């Protein structure tokens, strides 16, 4: 979805390009009826800046931006159910039903955008690297640290020797002991987290296969990895940065987990069968 693309690219844009992006995000439906010159005037920039804004998004022209906005508006209008328009900002007086609707729409939009832009060839390379690995390190701190632990739990449950590292000294120690038979998954919303980038680079130097999941395909973490998968943020008034991207990252990790399970079918099904009784044994 083009609005999700704009949100992910906006932090890296210059002042004038950011003005255009802010104006588009404030009212996408209104922008869909404007010319490039009119959008330039209303955003306090120029037609040339609007054109540069489109190119910065990887679009061929302003016309393509309008087409993408129209397509996105069409998808939203086709969704069942009536709802009052509510942007990603949740005010202190919003009724609870509107808060729930806003959060759900943001997450659903991020999941749709992530699935539509997910590089399947890269996902396949990442899954095969993990399936063949002797050992898997997962690096993440803060909000990404929680996701690293979730990744460890999923992979470990299907027989992979996976370990999450959420502290940089321990992560770098583990990375230094990796070999070309091993693999790494690095999680960072910004793609610039030093505590993730350091052990990732060290793991690459040791010859391990490296996979990164970030919201910025041009970030240092993305560039340092052999395979990169891109997540999409779902911001609301109280969820920004890593918290706003969690569901889309989980979608990527779930797809990765499912494909690894496919590629290691006998081992995965055996592991699941051996552990299926454990949860039942702890029920009252």
């Amino acid at each position: 979805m083009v609005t999700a693309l704009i949100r992910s690219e906006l932090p890296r844009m210059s002042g004038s390009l950011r003005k255009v992006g802010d104006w588009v995000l404030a009212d996408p439906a209104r922008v869909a009826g404007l010319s490039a010159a009119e959008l330039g005037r209303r955003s306090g920039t120029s037609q040339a800046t609007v054109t540069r804004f489109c190119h910065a998004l990887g679009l061929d022209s302003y016309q393509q931006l309008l087409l993408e906005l129209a397509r996105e508006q069409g998808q939203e209008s086709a969704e069942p159910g009536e709802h009052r328009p509510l942007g990603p900002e949740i005010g202190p007086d919003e009724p609870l039903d509107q808060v729930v609707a806003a959060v759900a729409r943001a997450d659903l939009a991020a999941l749709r955008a992530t699935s539509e832009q997910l590089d399947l060839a890269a996902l396949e390379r990442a899954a095969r690297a993990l399936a063949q690995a002797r050992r898997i390190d997962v690096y993440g701190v803060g909000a990404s640290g929680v996701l690293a632990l979730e990744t460890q739990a999923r992979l470990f449950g299907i027989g992979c020797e996976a370990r999450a590292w959420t502290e940089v000294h321990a992560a770098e120690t583990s990375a230094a002991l990796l070999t070309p038979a091993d693999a790494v998954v690095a999680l960072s919303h910004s793609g610039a987290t030093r505590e993730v980038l350091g052990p990732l680079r060290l793991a690459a130097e040791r010859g391990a296969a490296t996979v990164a999941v970030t919201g910025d395909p041009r970030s240092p973490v993305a560039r340092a990895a052999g395979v990169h998968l891109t997540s999409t943020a779902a911001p609301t008034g109280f969820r920004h940065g890593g918290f706003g991207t969690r569901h889309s990252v989980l979608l990527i990790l779930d797809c990765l987990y499912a494909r690894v399970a496919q590629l290691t079918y006998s081992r995965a099904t055996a592991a699941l069968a051996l552990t299926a009784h454990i949860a039942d044994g702890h029920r009252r």
Side-chain angles (χ1 to χ4, degrees):
M1 298 175 71
V2 72
T3 52
L5 174 62
I6 293 170
R7 287 192 186 94
S8 67
E9 293 292 328
L10 211 57
R12 293 181 294 278
M13 290 184 174
S14 64
S16 59
L17 295 184
R18 186 172 297 189
K19 286 181 181 180
V20 178
D22 286 338
W23 220 93
V24 174
L25 291 177
D27 196 345
R30 188 178 184 185
V31 171
L34 300 178
S35 67
E38 183 63 21
L39 176 56
R41 284 193 296 271
R42 297 196 181 199
S43 62
T45 60
S46 66
Q47 182 174 346
T49 301
V50 172
T51 300
R52 287 194 294 111
F53 170 76
C54 295
H55 292 163
L57 293 175
L59 304 177
D60 294 332
S61 64
Y62 180 66
Q63 190 63 33
Q64 187 180 356
L65 174 64
L66 295 182
L67 290 172
E68 293 298 330
L69 288 172
R71 182 179 293 112
E72 189 168 319
Q73 293 297 314
Q75 288 177 341
E76 291 178 358
S77 63
E79 291 176 356
E82 296 291 329
H83 61 264
R84 178 174 64 84
L86 180 65
E89 293 303 323
I90 298 174
D93 300 318
E94 295 290 349
L96 183 57
D97 64 327
Q98 292 298 321
V99 172
V100 172
V103 171
R105 286 200 299 276
D107 283 336
L108 289 172
L111 291 175
R112 184 186 299 117
T114 298
S115 64
E116 289 175 352
Q117 59 79 45
L118 190 58
D119 185 336
L120 297 184
L123 182 66
E124 179 70 9
R125 293 197 304 274
R128 288 189 177 278
L130 299 189
Q132 297 167 6
R134 176 185 66 97
R135 177 178 129 199
I136 302 169
D137 272 7
V138 188
Y139 306 138
V141 297
S144 293
V146 176
L147 296 174
L149 291 169
E150 177 69 19
T151 305
Q152 170 193 288
R154 294 185 188 210
L155 294 175
F156 193 73
I158 55 172
C160 297
E161 290 296 326
R163 177 74 179 269
W165 302 96
T166 60
E167 192 278 324
V168 65
H169 293 151
E172 290 191 353
T173 299
S174 182
L177 298 175
L178 295 178
T179 73
D182 303 317
V184 159
V185 178
L187 308 176
S188 170
H189 168 63
S190 67
T193 308
R194 288 181 298 175
E195 291 83 356
V196 172
L197 182 59
L200 173 63
R201 284 176 170 167
L202 184 53
E205 290 174 4
R206 296 289 300 155
T210 52
V211 178
V213 181
T214 83
D216 183 357
R218 293 173 294 201
S219 65
V221 169
R223 293 197 303 269
V227 181
H228 174 257
L229 302 170
T230 306
S231 60
T232 302
T236 64
F238 307 109
R239 300 187 310 172
H240 295 279
F243 289 103
T245 195
R246 182 172 298 184
H247 289 90
S248 64
V249 174
L250 280 172
L251 172 63
I252 292 172
L253 295 174
D254 223 7
C255 292
L256 194 57
Y257 158 80
R259 184 56 176 153
V260 171
Q262 278 188 308
L263 294 171
T264 61
Y265 188 81
S266 296
R267 184 182 71 187
T269 53
L272 290 171
L274 288 169
T275 58
H277 70 284
I278 294 176
D280 290 339
H282 289 274
R283 292 177 182 171
R284 297 188 62 173

